[in-house]
Amino acid sequence: VHSLRTFLSRDVSPNIREWDKGGGLPQHIYEQMARLGLFGICIPEQLGGAGYDYLTLGIVCEELERVDSSLRVIMSVHVGLNSLGLLQWGSKEQQQRFLIPQASGVRLGAFALSEPDAGSDVSAIRTSARRSNKNYVLNGEKMWISLATKADHFLVFARVSREHEPGKQLSAFVVERTMPGLSAGDIDHKLGVRAGSTGWLHLDDVRVPQSNRLGLEGEGFRIAMSCLDNGRYTVAAGSTGLIKACLEASIDYSRTRETFGKQISSHQLIKKKIADMSKWYEISRLLYHRAGELKNLGTRNTRETSVAKWYATEKAVSAADSAIQIHGAYGYSDEFPVERYFRNARGATIYEGTSEIHSLIQAQYALGERIDKPLRKELPPYVDSVWRGSK
Ligand code: CAA
């Protein structure tokens, strides 16, 4: 955490306002994150990672988003949605080819599930994968893809059909940037996370070898959902950091600003907002730590991760709103970071499962309508001596 905080305070914080305005992080930030070992933070050492546990991944995400959401989004996509998916579902050969270079930060991974007409409703995906000899031929469009123009490998979800046997089920494929027929572009003019990279992919007869299919044919929906269990965890942890940033900015400002002859921190209505932010931070932190502990044990955590993501993202929006109110008119300008926090917070209640999807998931668990079934492959539990060698 010490070297991470040094990197953030020395190299990111002084520049993030400009990068947010300019619409992107410079390449050297990706390289510095790779050098710090963040891109393989919770991947075992023998697979190129740093060998830390899932809780460490959460703490890293919290620290990153305390500075800017764009940095945490890289972790959500590269580690949460892609690399942990390869760790869970990839064959040994796929882990050698894709996971090791990703964990060591040589290659960047991304996750391509959403489409122009398929977001919450994953089963509406139209991208097709037609089987042809030892290949699949992929056609379709993916939208709202973080790192679309940056990543080297994409986990693409498509509907498999065989000739004379149109199929309906989803399968997952690792599509490589260099494969002919794959094109990508950026989506500009977003409300928030402007230093982050969001874009689209177009797949036009992309030939993907069978050896790039992750899991079994038809297993794509379950793979996507289990990847989201990890992505959502990083979003929950990151949003916790965003709440902390709002709290810290509000404490600083309320101690310097005076109204009616005293610091505004001594007004009870300001204290109430600060107390709420502090409570939201503590609860969000406990919720994502619980999910992280379950991941460490190798226990299914869909329910706990979903409630952590739902709560922390909603409260990050509320905290940023309160922080702006405490800053008054200054909070409404970009002179202070809280307007960026507000814009950044908003997207997280939409991506990786809208708040509405999470409330449905929670209601189904509470009513006994959703019961988790064992998966063919679970994410491995964290064992220090195995993941970090004999250190
Ligand atoms: N892990 C593994 N398997 C799972 C699972 C999980 N977490 N959740 C469900 N499954 C399995 C079920 O066991 C079931 O398996 P069987 O077919 O063997 O029975 C199968 O998947 C279907 O599950 P459900 O019946 O629960 O599916 P559903 O249709 O009722 O509900 C949903 C699905 C909860 C609505 C789901 O579609 C969902 O979460 N939608 C939101 C999608 C989402 O988060 N999109 C975000 C896009 S990615 C993104 O934002 C990233 C970015 O780059 C910004």
Side-chain angles (χ1 to χ4, degrees):
V1 171
H2 179 69
S3 48
L4 177 60
R5 282 192 177 159
T6 307
F7 157 67
L8 291 170
S9 61
R10 187 192 56 203
D11 300 318
V12 181
S13 292
N15 304 307
I16 192 63
R17 188 174 152 202
E18 288 315 307
W19 295 337
D20 184 71
K21 275 189 192 163
L25 296 170
Q27 186 57 28
H28 70 80
I29 292 297
Y30 289 88
E31 289 159 11
Q32 280 174 278
M33 288 175 74
R35 273 201 297 279
L36 280 168
L38 303 185
F39 289 161
I41 191 79
C42 60
I43 303 295
E45 275 184 342
Q46 61 272 29
L47 291 171
Y52 288 97
D53 68 343
Y54 299 102
L55 203 49
T56 308
L57 168 67
I59 292 165
V60 164
C61 289
E62 182 182 334
E63 288 296 322
L64 291 173
E65 193 150 3
R66 206 173 134 216
V67 176
D68 195 65
S69 306
S70 59
L71 296 151
R72 190 272 304 154
V73 167
I74 301 171
M75 297 294 288
S76 294
V77 173
H78 172 85
V79 180
L81 293 170
N82 186 314
S83 300
L84 287 174
L86 288 170
L87 182 66
Q88 182 168 359
W89 297 95
S91 64
K92 284 204 162 53
E93 186 274 330
Q94 288 170 333
Q95 292 180 347
Q96 290 290 324
R97 256 195 310 149
F98 303 120
L99 183 55
I100 291 180
Q102 285 185 193
S104 51
V106 177
R107 297 261 188 279
L108 210 51
F111 186 78
L113 181 69
S114 300
E115 298 186 356
D117 294 314
S120 293
D121 185 2
V122 175
S123 59
I125 279 178
R126 287 198 197 145
T127 296
S128 64
R130 183 170 45 81
R131 209 161 179 180
S132 162
N133 298 324
K134 292 208 160 158
N135 295 304
Y136 290 89
V137 181
L138 267 64
N139 280 285
E141 266 186 80
K142 296 289 176 181
M143 183 92 169
W144 312 114
I145 306 305
S146 303
L147 305 180
T149 56
K150 302 257 177 224
D152 302 283
H153 308 147
F154 298 93
L155 205 48
V156 172
F157 295 85
R159 194 168 292 288
V160 172
S161 62
R162 289 193 181 88
E163 283 180 47
H164 314 301
E165 192 193 342
K168 287 189 95 184
Q169 290 180 315
L170 296 185
S171 295
F173 302 91
V174 179
V175 174
E176 299 163 57
R177 159 88 57 206
T178 48
M179 288 178 168
L182 178 72
S183 49
D186 284 317
I187 296 172
D188 297 321
H189 312 296
K190 290 173 294 179
L191 173 69
V193 199
R194 291 186 180 165
S197 148
T198 312
W200 51 266
L201 295 180
H202 192 82
L203 297 114
D204 186 11
D205 280 341
V206 180
R207 292 188 90 77
V208 180
Q210 211 177 308
S211 57
N212 279 31
R213 192 193 66 223
L214 200 65
L216 305 175
E217 213 174 76
E219 212 167 22
F221 192 95
R222 286 187 287 279
I223 294 176
M225 289 300 129
S226 62
C227 291
L228 282 163
D229 283 346
N230 300 318
R232 289 167 178 173
Y233 170 69
T234 63
V235 177
S239 296
T240 304
L242 188 45
I243 297 171
K244 190 169 195 189
C246 294
L247 176 62
E248 288 170 340
S250 300
I251 290 170
D252 284 352
Y253 186 79
S254 65
R255 281 183 175 152
T256 52
R257 176 74 176 179
E258 290 189 4
T259 61
F260 306 102
K262 52 186 179 183
Q263 290 174 354
I264 62 171
S265 59
S266 45
H267 295 307
Q268 285 191 336
L269 289 175
I270 300 289
K271 279 192 198 301
K272 163 76 173 125
K273 289 193 195 308
I274 286 175
D276 281 342
M277 277 190 248
S278 174
K279 174 181 70 181
W280 298 332
Y281 171 69
E282 295 296 337
I283 297 172
S284 299
R285 195 163 160 273
L286 287 169
L287 287 174
Y288 95 72
H289 276 230
R290 177 177 66 164
E293 294 289 5
L294 290 174
K295 285 179 192 294
N296 279 348
L297 295 170
T299 306
R300 182 75 176 268
N301 53 85
T302 304
R303 182 180 192 169
E304 292 79 9
T305 296
S306 156
V307 74
K309 190 273 180 186
W310 179 29
Y311 185 85
T313 56
E314 286 286 325
K315 293 310 178 195
V317 173
S318 304
D321 187 52
S322 291
I324 290 182
Q325 199 67 18
I326 289 172
H327 284 68
Y330 289 105
Y332 198 66
S333 80
D334 70 357
E335 199 176 321
F336 286 85
V338 290
E339 66 84 33
R340 176 166 51 85
Y341 299 158
F342 185 71
R343 288 186 288 102
N344 284 353
R346 192 61 185 81
T349 63
I350 300 170
Y351 55 70
E352 303 221 22
T354 59
S355 292
E356 288 74 14
I357 288 290
H358 288 291
S359 56
L360 285 176
I361 290 174
Q362 292 305 318
Q364 288 166 351
Y365 276 119
L367 290 163
E369 293 168 2
R370 177 174 286 273
I371 294 154
D372 294 334
K373 293 186 199 146
L375 296 173
R376 194 173 60 80
K377 286 187 169 190
E378 300 285 357
L379 199 59
Y382 175 76
V383 182
D384 188 64
S385 57
V386 175
W387 285 47
R388 304 191 63 210
S390 53
K391 271 184 208 170

